[in-house]
Every structure is written in structure tokens, then in C-alpha cells.
Amino acid sequence: MSIVKICGLSTPETLEAALAAGADMVGFVRFAPSPRHVELAPGRELSAMARGRARRVLLAVDPTDQELEAALEALDPDLIQLHGAETPDRVRAIGHVAGRPVVKAIGVAEAADLDRIAIYRGLVDGVLLDAKPPRQATRPGGHGATFDWRILDGYGSAPALDPGPWTMLSGGLTATNVAEAIAVTRLDAVDVSSGVETRPGEKDAALITAFVEAARAAFALAPASRRDA
């Protein structure tokens, strides 16, 4: 089953656009340095809007237990996406506190970066492969950069890399390039944030709709996923 996720939503209007377009997952960022950060009160309202219409994802970056518990209480997410430098032990602890599926983001710039997936095997329900941020970046994602998707060749046939139920592709995706990304990687889940914005943190309803439609069309035409190959 294919998955389309729109992340970094922060207004009712753009969230409604994502839901109306048929996004499978919607993401809410809890990380103050990000232009997509949502405070707890508006986050609660946004999450309530999406309840039962899409799977709600809480994106957190090295959260403390206190920060995590506050976000869980307010947003009541269906999944937790960890986008920081969380160690395997910390991921395990967060999963215990959260009591719901956990996805770990892995920064990718070269094939060797995929080796990090193995250390989370058995601890997460999936991974998100994102472009590694620039060296001086103040946040781990949302920079609109891609990585060379060709390094994922053979990914699904390497048991040591297989993290769990699914793998999601992220990093610099747009309505223009998502079809190529799906064709090259043969992954069955994609995530977009900056690629549906007019400027950092400002989502555009038309771009959201175009991305979902382009991803759906590409999934329909794509060969079997790597997991099924």
C-alpha cells in the first residue's frame, strides 16, 4: 500500500487542503527552531481536525520526556517521527513512553549512511530517509535538498538494512520530481514539506494538491515495490 505524507502543517486551511487531497499522513512539527513549529494549543486543534481522516504524525527532535508527554497529551498522534540524534536506547525509551509506533529519520548523503539503519532494527516501525542537512544547519530537515536516489539500488533486498514494515522517502520532493523519485527508488511511501511551500513554513494548498495527485499517479504506474520484488 502506498503512503503520501504532508509534513509541517501549521494552519487549518493547509491541513484541510492535505486532507481533501487524500493525504494518508499529516505531520505536525514540535521543534522551536523550525519555521513549521506548532505550539501545543493550535496543535491540539489541528490534530483534532485530522482525527479519523489521516494518520497524525508528531515530529520531534531529541525530545525530553517532559516535552514528549506534553506533545502526546495535546496532539494525541498516531505515530512518532524522531528526527534528531536519538540513540537506539533513547528510541526504545521513547517508544515505551509513547506507546505507539515510532519512525526514525536517517540523514542520507552517501551509501554508507544507510548503515545506520541497522542499529535501529527491531526498535522502530519504519524509517524515513531524508537528505542529510548542510553542515551549519540549525535543524535536521526541511531544507528542500535531495540526495542521490540511486544509492538505494538493492535496498529492499538487503536484510540487514530492512528496518521494519516500511521505508519513507523524503528530502527535496516536489510535484515535479516525485514521479522520478518513486520510479528510481521503488519505495512505496513519500514525504514532503518544503516542496509544497511558497516560502519556509508557508504551505500552499494548490502545491499540496498537485503533490498528492502526482504521487498517486506515479504509484499507480510504478513497478512492484522493492519490498515485494
Side-chain angles (χ1 to χ4, degrees), residues 19-56:
L19 296 170
D24 303 290
M25 296 183 180
V26 291
F28 307 114
V29 176
R30 285 287 302 162
F31 183 57
S34 171
R36 303 163 186 95
H37 172 74
V38 292
E39 298 293 345
L40 293 177
R44 185 190 301 273
E45 296 178 2
L46 292 171
S47 185
M49 278 182 60
R51 183 178 292 113
R53 302 175 66 187
R55 299 180 75 184
R56 300 159 299 164

Side-chain angles (χ1 to χ4, degrees), residues 15-229:
L15 173 58
E16 183 57 39
L19 296 170
D24 303 290
M25 296 183 180
V26 291
F28 307 114
V29 176
R30 285 287 302 162
F31 183 57
S34 171
R36 303 163 186 95
H37 172 74
V38 292
E39 298 293 345
L40 293 177
R44 185 190 301 273
E45 296 178 2
L46 292 171
S47 185
M49 278 182 60
R51 183 178 292 113
R53 302 175 66 187
R55 299 180 75 184
R56 300 159 299 164
V57 182
L58 164 64
L59 188 156
V61 180
D62 298 305
T64 65
D65 285 350
Q66 182 178 13
E67 290 169 341
L68 179 64
E69 289 169 0
L72 291 173
E73 192 281 326
L75 275 65
D76 186 29
D78 299 297
L79 294 91
I80 310 299
Q81 179 180 317
L82 298 176
H83 223 295
E86 298 89 0
T87 66
D89 284 345
R90 182 58 182 153
V91 168
R92 182 185 292 107
I94 288 173
H96 179 74
V97 171
R100 59 204 81 191
V102 173
V103 174
K104 181 70 182 81
I106 305 290
V108 179
E110 57 188 24
D113 292 320
L114 298 177
D115 293 342
R116 293 190 59 234
I117 295 172
I119 68 174
Y120 297 101
R121 185 175 175 83
L123 299 177
V124 297
D125 298 272
V127 295
L128 180 144
L129 303 180
D130 195 5
K132 187 174 287 187
R135 186 176 300 275
Q136 301 303 320
T138 58
R139 59 183 193 276
H143 297 282
T146 62
F147 62 91
D148 185 355
W149 302 318
R150 292 172 299 178
I151 67 176
L152 297 180
D153 185 44
Y155 173 84
S157 61
L161 297 182
D162 189 349
W166 50 269
T167 301
M168 180 170 284
L169 181 68
S170 187
L173 297 180
T174 66
T176 302
N177 68 12
V178 68
E180 179 186 1
I182 290 169
V184 171
T185 67
R186 293 170 59 192
L187 293 179
D188 47 18
V190 291
D191 169 88
V192 67
S193 185
S194 61
V196 292
E197 294 178 344
T198 53
R199 60 180 181 178
E202 293 190 13
K203 296 288 189 289
D204 181 89
L207 293 177
I208 290 171
T209 300
F211 182 87
V212 176
E213 290 178 349
R216 292 282 184 234
F219 282 131
L221 294 174
S225 70
R226 291 194 183 277
R227 185 172 298 282
D228 299 327

